[in-house]
Amino acid sequence: MKLRVKVQKATKNLSPKQMEKVFAHVAAYFNVLSEPARLRIMYAVCSGEKSVSEVVKMCGTSQANVSRHLLALHKAGILMRRKEGVTVYYSIADNATVEMCQTVCAKIAESIH
């Protein structure tokens, strides 16, 4: 289904007040994605489930910083997490967000060349 049709179908019966609520939630969602460290983490996890220590190693930042961003991405429903013993693993929960980020990253990367 084309994206435009999907959006029209989803918002068809919403009042202006309800649409304002949708816009507020969309803005909050994009706010979660507005941090470069979170995009780095998503890039790291895109290739498959990773432990926190693997994400830390791939992102080259402190565990405290990575953990804070992982929590924000998890709360937003973008990442899933599971615990195995003392190790916590994260994976993509929302492929639509990943596809959107990849599309935007590709567009920006092309303009840099």
Side-chain angles (χ1 to χ4, degrees), residues 44 49-59 89:
E49 182 181 73
K50 302 280 186 300
S51 69
V52 173
S53 59
E54 289 173 309
V55 175
V56 168
K57 190 175 187 178
M58 291 176 81
C59 291
Y89 295 89

Side-chain angles (χ1 to χ4, degrees), residues 30 50 92 101:
F30 279 118
K50 302 280 186 300
I92 299 298
C101 288

Side-chain angles (χ1 to χ4, degrees), residues 49-110:
E49 182 181 73
K50 302 280 186 300
S51 69
V52 173
S53 59
E54 289 173 309
V55 175
V56 168
K57 190 175 187 178
M58 291 176 81
C59 291
T61 188
S62 71
Q63 181 165 346
N65 192 34
V66 167
S67 293
R68 181 173 61 86
H69 292 302
L70 285 167
L71 180 62
L73 290 164
H74 179 257
K75 281 184 173 180
I78 296 167
L79 296 182
M80 294 186 295
R81 76 176 179 199
R82 71 176 181 87
K83 193 170 183 179
E84 192 173 292
V86 295
T87 306
V88 179
Y89 295 89
Y90 284 87
S91 60
I92 299 298
D94 179 11
N95 284 321
T97 300
V98 172
E99 289 172 17
M100 177 188 62
C101 288
Q102 288 174 337
T103 300
V104 173
C105 284
K107 180 175 174 40
I108 300 299
E110 286 172 358

